[in-house]
Amino acid sequence: MNFAIEVPGEATPLSLQNLYHTLTAASSTNPQQIKSGAQQLQNWEKQPGYYSSLQSIFVDTALPVDVRHLCIIQLKNGIDKYWRKTATNAISKEEKDQICARSIESGTKEPDPLLALQNALMIAKIVRYEYALDWPDALSSLASNLDLTYQPNRDPLELLRALLILLEVIKELSTARIQRTRASLQTAASEVLQILGKVYFGKVQTWTNFVQYGGDDEGGALNSLEQSLLALRTLRRLLIAGWNFPNRSSEFQSAWGLLINHFKDMLALTTDDSSSINADVRLLVEKHLRQIAKLHQNLAKDHPAGFALLPDSIELVTAYWGLISRFGESFGSQTTGAANSRTGDDDDDDGEPMPVMEYLSLKGLLLLRACVRMVFNPAQTFKFQQDQDKEEKSRSRQLVKQTLLTESFSQTMMQTLVTRFFVFRSRDLRDWQEEPEEWERKEEGEDDVWEFSLRSCAEKLFLELMLNYKAHLAPPLISVFANVASPQNYDVFLKDSVYGAIGLAASVLEDKIDFGSFLNGTLAHEVQINQPGYNILRRRIAIVLGQWLLVKDGLDRPLVYQIFQHILDKRDPLNDLVVRITAGRQLKNIILPFEFSIHTFKPYCATITSHLMALINDVELGETKLALLNTLTTLVQSVDDEITPFADQIISLLPPLWEQAGDEFLMKQSILGILSSLISAMKSNSRQYHSFMIPLIESCVKMDSDTRTYLLEDSMELWATVLQQTPSAAVPDVLPLVPHLFPMLEVGSDTLRRSLEMIEVYVYLAPLQMLPSSSLLLPAFVDLLEDAKREATGLALNIIDLLMQSALELGGIEAFMSLMSQLLESKYLQTILSGLRGAHEAHQASGPNRSKSWLDVLAETDYLSILSRIVLAGPNIFVDAVKAARPSEQFDFTIQWLLSEWFRHFDNISHPEKKKLNCLGLTALVQTGQAWMLEHLQELMGVWTETVLEFYDDDNSMGIDYMVYKDPDALKATGETAEQEGRRKLLTVDPVHRFDLKTFIREHVQQAIATSGGNETFQAEWVINVDKDVLEAFGKLGIF
């Protein structure tokens, strides 16, 4: 059928026929039909009846599979969007009931396995939303449906589908974060277990009878195997999530005991060489074993006390150890030839599932580790515990410690782990040669990767044992180490295992082994041996040194640097890619410790850096490059300016890496990090690389950049570092980046704080160039004034303060007046005065109903400091600005409440510089001689007395304000950057550091006296109103 939708979506009514045709178009191979069909489906999804109509088409098994598949996908996705009652255009209750009623029956009879899975996932989503409030019998219905399909003469497929639905529902409920959902599952767990257990144990009985006694119905036996496996997968999740205290449940204990017996019987069946079962049956039986082993591990991890107190649990763990020990006898490789050539004795294909015995051994190790942690590192919980819970927890720990984790058993485990599971397999050695980078990456696996590797898991268990049985296990380990650690011992595999154990236990053995002697007498010699297999030992030596230098002080670091210099050299054939990558990774641990000294490392810096950069070029895997780049970053940070001779080489390495990285943003973040470290180390010498870095930064920060989301933070870090180290002559290089800062000033932006900090640096770097940008900054800054983020507001106010100082110093009154015009046009000054007015009103009232100012103490200090800057530029400028900012108020009214609030707040100013600035501002207003100022003379004298006493200490025999810089040139630092120079210049011309406070007060009071008509008039009209004690305290200052 060649069908296309020609009319707009809104014009096509929703009907089953129209929906079917649209689904047919959307599932076709014609791009135009797919697009138009998808758009029509999107238009319909909010209409009543849409999702029940989708289900009506889905349940018709006679329709094409592609159409039905699109139906169930649309329906499943719609559950997430519209099933909740609170969702916009939510599905109605009637439509929900219709969907629920048909979903279980249709899913049970669905012939297509993929469609059956999607339907089961859809039901699971519905149950998660509906159970138990709106669909209280959901699990009961599913269990009844399962029981019905288990009846004789039913289609075996129906039982599989019923099990699949129940499996997905229990998976969904068991992973729910809402405790109510998990509690509801536990309420119904017994009912479900009764029916699910009957199905599982019945089917197992069916196929075991066939295996033991034979018969004609091999197909039926295989069906039973598949059904019991799916039932077991469901049962495993139900047993873990359905009981908080499994040891208290008799029905759980019953199922537990039967499963242990099944585990023993199935294990015997798969390991019996004389068994005649075919490969398909064996594979399914092995899958049963894997599921039961998962149950054992998950139960010990999630319910440790319950696991320990279950019948036969300790015997089960002991049995696992017996299995582990037997498997360990054939685990490792016995020859070193495999380390240097392809091996042919291991035919395991990559990508194949782990052999069942290896898998069970891995689960056994995980189970043992869970037991160790159960005793020594019990999980902490905030959940309220009853006395019974606490008693069971204590009893389980004692039981495991006394009956399982005895000292003799812990020693046996330690020895077996080191000698059997720390060794390489021939497969490892083959992969070492054939896929060195991939193999090394797997060995270096982080996070939970160790849970999927037998050797890595053995290392984790070994470390747990050493940490918790150090007094008992250290002596035998040290004894073995002493026998093995000799250059005359050429058993590379044994040495690798024992050295690996010594490295893992470094924190335990640091005061028990003379590692310095081992380093000088053994490792230094062995790393130079050129014999087959010694590449294995070189890799291990790099790892061990990286582990021990983090915990042991006083080692021969020059010797360690020589060793790394040697094993990073690709000219030595034994230093294959794995050895060098491992050394490159571990080098980070060598140069990180506090004891690191640039002077000691300097003789080796050139060679090691060159080898490391060559290695980065040699590797291909992105993860490996990233790890080595992180090492290079650490190296640059550690050696500081000693890296300068290699800067060209490092920079030349980065552009190709950047291009190769493509969408691997972690790699690009690492490259930006290296550049930041390099700039910091080279300081002003880094200017030569601006031509590379400035365009790179711009490409990451501009608003339309594809990489902005991922690289903005790192690129801004690099940008800030460039600004900090830019010399004066290179300031023009960084100015083109300024426009990219303005879009980042939105309130709530993650980059707001960093953007403000960088604008501040730009004001120091290029004040003349930044002054014209005030018109772009101020509108954004107005929004910040009322923002709750105090830090951002303070930074913005400081930038205005700096712009005011720069305008006055560099452009005089004309430039300052231009800035004042912008402050008024942007409503910035009006907002400041409004904030102060609100603060004043709040402080005038008292009681519970008084208004609250949105200004905090620090913000009000900053507001008044801005006003002080305006006053110092000229009192008349201040008066005119206040009048312009508050045109609806009489000036006398405005200045009265403003000065009242100013004097009230003065005692709350704790910052010394801002305190003096405000004192200067208030003092400068005195020279106006206006009554609105002089009537505050008593408050003003209190301010003068307080401030002078603070800035003229008793030991100041010169009688000079200590805030004044006596020798401004002394502030100049060696190797001053442009930013530092800008800061210094503004500081030296700042009135706070330029004017002596006593002199400033004296001169301005004298001007006020002159303006008022002379001293007698001043005394008679103003001084006479000052309190006698205030006047006396002021007189003692000796200003007049």
Side-chain angles (χ1 to χ4, degrees), residues 65 98 117 191 198 244 299 323 332 432 448 542 669 724 790 793 836 843 858 916 962:
V65 171
Q98 184 180 355
L117 175 60
E191 179 186 357
K198 180 174 68 174
N244 282 331
L299 192 63
L323 185 152
W432 179 319
D448 292 334
Q669 289 170 358
Q724 290 168 4
R790 159 65 205 156
T793 305
L836 292 171
H843 294 135
L858 295 177
K916 181 177 177 181
Y962 76 74

Short mmCIF file of all heavy atoms in Angstrom, two decimals, residues 65 98 117 191 198 244 299 323 332 432 448 542 669 724 790 793 836 843 858 916 962:
data_model
loop_
_atom_site.label_atom_id
_atom_site.label_comp_id
_atom_site.label_asym_id
_atom_site.label_seq_id
_atom_site.Cartn_x
_atom_site.Cartn_y
_atom_site.Cartn_z
N VAL A 65 3.81 -7.34 11.85
CA VAL A 65 4.61 -7.21 13.08
C VAL A 65 5.17 -5.81 13.22
O VAL A 65 5.21 -5.25 14.33
CB VAL A 65 5.74 -8.26 13.08
CG1 VAL A 65 6.70 -7.99 14.24
CG2 VAL A 65 5.17 -9.66 13.19
N GLN A 98 -9.31 -0.07 30.64
CA GLN A 98 -9.40 -0.87 29.41
C GLN A 98 -8.03 -1.42 29.03
O GLN A 98 -7.90 -2.59 28.65
CB GLN A 98 -9.98 -0.01 28.28
CG GLN A 98 -10.20 -0.78 26.98
CD GLN A 98 -10.78 0.11 25.89
OE1 GLN A 98 -11.10 1.27 26.13
NE2 GLN A 98 -10.92 -0.44 24.71
N LEU A 117 8.07 -9.03 25.00
CA LEU A 117 8.94 -8.32 25.94
C LEU A 117 8.49 -6.87 26.09
O LEU A 117 8.41 -6.35 27.22
CB LEU A 117 10.38 -8.38 25.46
CG LEU A 117 11.40 -7.56 26.27
CD1 LEU A 117 11.43 -8.03 27.72
CD2 LEU A 117 12.79 -7.63 25.65
N GLU A 191 2.32 -14.65 48.58
CA GLU A 191 1.35 -15.17 47.63
C GLU A 191 2.00 -15.50 46.30
O GLU A 191 1.75 -16.56 45.70
CB GLU A 191 0.22 -14.16 47.44
CG GLU A 191 -0.83 -14.59 46.44
CD GLU A 191 -1.87 -13.51 46.17
OE1 GLU A 191 -1.79 -12.43 46.81
OE2 GLU A 191 -2.74 -13.73 45.31
N LYS A 198 5.89 -23.09 42.97
CA LYS A 198 5.27 -24.32 42.45
C LYS A 198 5.66 -24.52 40.99
O LYS A 198 5.99 -25.65 40.57
CB LYS A 198 3.76 -24.20 42.60
CG LYS A 198 3.01 -25.43 42.08
CD LYS A 198 1.52 -25.33 42.38
CE LYS A 198 0.85 -24.24 41.58
NZ LYS A 198 -0.61 -24.22 41.76
N ASN A 244 12.60 -8.34 54.03
CA ASN A 244 13.66 -7.60 54.71
C ASN A 244 14.43 -8.49 55.67
O ASN A 244 15.62 -8.26 55.92
CB ASN A 244 13.08 -6.41 55.47
CG ASN A 244 12.74 -5.25 54.57
OD1 ASN A 244 13.37 -5.06 53.53
ND2 ASN A 244 11.73 -4.46 54.95
N LEU A 299 21.93 -11.87 48.10
CA LEU A 299 21.35 -12.00 49.43
C LEU A 299 22.38 -11.63 50.50
O LEU A 299 22.06 -10.93 51.47
CB LEU A 299 20.85 -13.43 49.64
CG LEU A 299 19.97 -13.66 50.87
CD1 LEU A 299 18.68 -12.86 50.75
CD2 LEU A 299 19.65 -15.14 51.03
N LEU A 323 35.07 -25.14 45.83
CA LEU A 323 34.99 -24.99 44.37
C LEU A 323 36.06 -24.03 43.87
O LEU A 323 36.72 -24.29 42.86
CB LEU A 323 33.59 -24.49 44.01
CG LEU A 323 33.19 -24.36 42.54
CD1 LEU A 323 31.68 -24.56 42.42
CD2 LEU A 323 33.55 -23.00 41.97
N GLY A 332 46.03 -20.41 36.49
CA GLY A 332 47.12 -19.58 35.96
C GLY A 332 47.95 -20.24 34.89
O GLY A 332 47.85 -21.44 34.62
N TRP A 432 47.70 -9.68 25.96
CA TRP A 432 48.79 -8.71 26.18
C TRP A 432 49.51 -8.44 24.87
O TRP A 432 49.82 -7.28 24.55
CB TRP A 432 49.73 -9.29 27.24
CG TRP A 432 50.95 -8.45 27.59
CD1 TRP A 432 51.75 -7.75 26.74
CD2 TRP A 432 51.49 -8.25 28.90
NE1 TRP A 432 52.77 -7.14 27.42
CE2 TRP A 432 52.63 -7.43 28.76
CE3 TRP A 432 51.15 -8.70 30.16
CZ2 TRP A 432 53.42 -7.04 29.85
CZ3 TRP A 432 51.94 -8.31 31.24
CH2 TRP A 432 53.05 -7.50 31.09
N ASP A 448 33.27 -0.56 39.46
CA ASP A 448 32.84 -1.91 39.78
C ASP A 448 33.29 -2.94 38.75
O ASP A 448 32.77 -4.05 38.72
CB ASP A 448 31.31 -1.96 39.91
CG ASP A 448 30.82 -1.18 41.11
OD1 ASP A 448 31.59 -1.04 42.07
OD2 ASP A 448 29.66 -0.71 41.09
N ALA A 542 56.54 -1.16 38.20
CA ALA A 542 55.96 0.18 38.07
C ALA A 542 54.74 0.34 38.97
O ALA A 542 54.57 1.36 39.65
CB ALA A 542 55.57 0.44 36.61
N GLN A 669 38.48 18.00 27.55
CA GLN A 669 38.60 18.61 28.87
C GLN A 669 40.00 18.42 29.43
O GLN A 669 40.57 19.33 30.05
CB GLN A 669 37.57 17.99 29.82
CG GLN A 669 36.14 18.40 29.53
CD GLN A 669 35.13 17.60 30.31
OE1 GLN A 669 35.48 16.70 31.07
NE2 GLN A 669 33.85 17.90 30.13
N GLN A 724 45.29 35.68 34.04
CA GLN A 724 46.14 35.86 35.21
C GLN A 724 47.61 35.98 34.84
O GLN A 724 48.38 36.69 35.51
CB GLN A 724 45.96 34.69 36.18
CG GLN A 724 44.60 34.68 36.86
CD GLN A 724 44.35 33.37 37.59
OE1 GLN A 724 45.21 32.50 37.64
NE2 GLN A 724 43.15 33.23 38.13
N ARG A 790 24.44 36.37 47.28
CA ARG A 790 25.23 37.47 47.81
C ARG A 790 26.59 37.58 47.10
O ARG A 790 27.06 38.67 46.79
CB ARG A 790 25.40 37.26 49.32
CG ARG A 790 26.55 37.98 49.95
CD ARG A 790 26.40 39.48 49.89
NE ARG A 790 27.70 40.11 49.95
CZ ARG A 790 27.96 41.32 49.49
NH1 ARG A 790 27.02 42.03 48.92
NH2 ARG A 790 29.17 41.82 49.59
N THR A 793 26.34 39.28 43.72
CA THR A 793 26.03 40.70 43.91
C THR A 793 27.26 41.48 44.35
O THR A 793 27.54 42.57 43.85
CB THR A 793 24.91 40.86 44.96
OG1 THR A 793 23.78 40.08 44.57
CG2 THR A 793 24.49 42.31 45.09
N LEU A 836 18.29 50.83 49.78
CA LEU A 836 18.60 51.54 51.03
C LEU A 836 17.34 52.11 51.67
O LEU A 836 17.22 52.13 52.91
CB LEU A 836 19.61 52.65 50.75
CG LEU A 836 21.02 52.18 50.34
CD1 LEU A 836 21.87 53.35 49.88
CD2 LEU A 836 21.71 51.45 51.49
N HIS A 843 14.16 49.36 59.40
CA HIS A 843 14.82 49.64 60.68
C HIS A 843 14.05 50.65 61.54
O HIS A 843 14.39 50.85 62.71
CB HIS A 843 16.23 50.17 60.42
CG HIS A 843 17.13 49.15 59.79
ND1 HIS A 843 17.96 49.44 58.73
CD2 HIS A 843 17.29 47.83 60.04
CE1 HIS A 843 18.61 48.36 58.37
NE2 HIS A 843 18.22 47.37 59.15
N LEU A 858 26.24 42.95 54.47
CA LEU A 858 27.35 43.11 53.53
C LEU A 858 26.91 43.86 52.28
O LEU A 858 27.64 44.70 51.75
CB LEU A 858 27.93 41.75 53.17
CG LEU A 858 28.59 40.96 54.31
CD1 LEU A 858 29.05 39.60 53.83
CD2 LEU A 858 29.78 41.74 54.87
N LYS A 916 36.78 52.87 56.07
CA LYS A 916 37.44 54.16 55.84
C LYS A 916 36.82 54.88 54.65
O LYS A 916 36.65 56.10 54.67
CB LYS A 916 38.94 53.97 55.63
CG LYS A 916 39.66 55.29 55.42
CD LYS A 916 41.16 55.13 55.28
CE LYS A 916 41.81 56.48 55.01
NZ LYS A 916 43.28 56.39 54.84
N TYR A 962 47.55 54.21 59.09
CA TYR A 962 48.28 53.03 58.60
C TYR A 962 47.69 52.46 57.32
O TYR A 962 48.27 51.58 56.69
CB TYR A 962 48.39 51.95 59.67
CG TYR A 962 47.14 51.14 59.95
CD1 TYR A 962 46.71 50.16 59.05
CD2 TYR A 962 46.42 51.31 61.13
CE1 TYR A 962 45.59 49.42 59.32
CE2 TYR A 962 45.30 50.56 61.40
CZ TYR A 962 44.89 49.61 60.49
OH TYR A 962 43.78 48.85 60.76
#
